[in-house]
Amino acid sequence: MGAGHCFWILYLACLCSASLGNNAKINFREKEKKVLDQILGQGKYDARIRPSGINGTGPAIVRINLFVRSIATISDIKMEYSVQLTFREQWLDERLKFDDIGGRLKYLTLTEANRVWMPDLFFSNEKEGHFHNIIMPNVYIRIFPYGSVLYSIRISLTLACPMNLKLYPLDRQVCSLRMASYGWTTADLVFLWKEGDPVQVVKNLHLPRFTLEKFLTDYCNSKTNTGEYSCLKVDLLFKREFSYYLIQIYIPCCMLVIVSWVSFWLDQGAVPARVSLGVTTLLTMATQTSGINASLPPVSYTKAIDVWTGVCLTFVFGALLEFALVNYASRSDLHRENMKKKRREVEQASLDAASDLLDTDSNATFAMPLVRHPGDPLALEKLRQCEIHMAPPKRPNCCRTWLSKFPTRSKRIDVISRITFPLVFALFNLVYWSTYLFREEEEN
């Protein structure tokens, strides 16, 4: 073989190796464009037509899963909560199948949802909602070679959450997230939870006054006059953090009630101090109650916090009324003492007159028998002594013996109040906490 032939053989070999090298460096972006033009080209794909179900018949199956990124607020007065989540839908559309170039083209990515058919899902208990568009719209669509479509979007929602506040603030609330089809009936479209882990929650989820205990997924298909519609729901179980209310409500109310009892230990003559103490605690308790009610919706039933504040307000008001009773009893005691003093003066004057009369009859040789005349003080005193000696001895009563140490009725009322008010309040606490804590466990 000549030198010329060898040259041309080497030249052809170089050309073949160069062409093979160029083929190895495939531009996949160009391939993606060609595939998109091929499957979504004009006149080839109609986004208005829903995909066929399994084996070309039946409803389209859409599988849902969620990732809860954050829960911002849970409002008692508006009965709503705000949540930010990543929402995903996945379904099969055989019209979107394409060649994956031997497994090198894993999926196609779109950012325009109107290019393909989309399920008409909506959140049935939504009050407000918005998409996130910073810096770019937080949404994408992935089309896989076998025709599967994955739609993912980040959204923020404010959802209605009807609450039962009978046990507030010892309550648990269940807030739901409901998703349903708006126009397609179950004959055309069915929503299913994705197998495995359909709902995920971000780790270290912190809420100001609640704790997310658990969540449950379920189905909630609804039937109307126009047909049956597929529906999914997530129930989020929130437990209210009681420590906040213990520090902000229960302990201050207890302190106000105890401060109102200080008036029982003040002198009954200290009218300005006792009145100002009672009125101040009463107004403070009323302000505390109004502040609590301002943060809650006006419901028709009685809440646990209503029972607590109502009884505490009653105790404070009772302490103020107790001073009014003490003041009245003090004036009554003073009037009684004045009447006794006048009666003693009259009796003493009568005794002095009787002794003078006996002194003037000293010439008499015999004494007439004592005749009791009506109103004679000496005869009354002797008759009372006889009745005392003739009466049977009574059993000693410890309570009366103890109360006899306090001669005035006003002082007795104060002493009885010092014992009665704390005992009744302690009994109320025992009944209150045992009742509502038992009801909370029963509901769980």
Side-chain angles (χ1 to χ4, degrees), residues 78-127:
K78 294 182 179 180
M79 290 195 178
E80 64 184 22
Y81 72 104
S82 300
V83 61
Q84 183 186 127
L85 50 89
T86 299
F87 173 74
R88 305 186 188 100
E89 296 176 306
Q90 193 164 8
W91 65 94
L92 182 63
D93 193 341
E94 295 182 352
R95 298 173 294 176
L96 298 176
K97 289 182 178 180
F98 62 89
D99 183 15
D100 59 354
I101 315 176
R104 297 183 181 181
L105 194 59
K106 295 183 178 180
Y107 53 80
L108 304 174
T109 302
L110 297 177
T111 56
E112 299 176 4
N114 58 355
R115 297 287 301 274
V116 298
W117 176 87
M118 292 290 299
D120 60 341
L121 181 141
F122 77 106
F123 297 92
S124 57
N125 60 333
E126 173 208 351
K127 285 187 174 181

Side-chain angles (χ1 to χ4, degrees), residues 391-412:
K394 296 182 179 179
R395 293 183 179 180
N397 191 325
C398 58
C399 294
R400 291 183 179 179
T401 304
W402 178 67
L403 288 175
S404 63
K405 298 180 182 179
F406 309 101
T408 60
R409 289 190 301 172
S410 58
K411 190 64 176 177
R412 291 177 184 175

Side-chain angles (χ1 to χ4, degrees), residues 236-353:
L236 304 172
L237 179 60
F238 296 103
K239 179 184 178 182
R240 199 181 298 272
E241 287 291 340
F242 180 69
S243 58
Y244 168 82
Y245 300 93
L246 180 65
I247 297 172
Q248 297 293 327
I249 296 177
Y250 284 93
I251 292 178
C253 288
C254 284
M255 294 174 65
L256 286 173
V257 172
I258 294 172
V259 167
S260 69
W261 298 342
V262 174
S263 64
F264 304 154
W265 299 86
L266 297 178
D267 185 72
Q268 58 192 15
V271 177
R274 297 188 68 164
V275 170
S276 60
L277 181 63
V279 172
T280 302
T281 52
L282 183 63
L283 292 176
T284 307
M285 191 67 216
T287 305
Q288 179 89 344
T289 304
S290 62
I292 295 169
N293 292 330
S295 62
L296 294 172
V299 293
S300 59
Y301 47 81
T302 303
K303 303 179 288 295
I305 196 67
D306 294 336
V307 176
W308 175 264
T309 55
V311 172
C312 290
L313 191 62
T314 303
F315 270 93
V316 174
F317 183 66
L320 186 60
L321 289 183
E322 188 270 349
F323 171 66
L325 182 61
V326 166
N327 188 267
Y328 173 77
S330 176
R331 288 185 282 108
S332 178
D333 291 338
L334 182 61
H335 178 70
R336 183 178 296 180
E337 287 295 327
N338 292 333
M339 294 299 294
K340 285 183 178 180
K341 187 176 181 181
K342 289 182 180 179
R343 191 180 297 114
R344 283 196 219 99
E345 291 176 354
V346 172
E347 290 178 357
Q348 187 64 34
S350 300
L351 289 174
D352 292 343

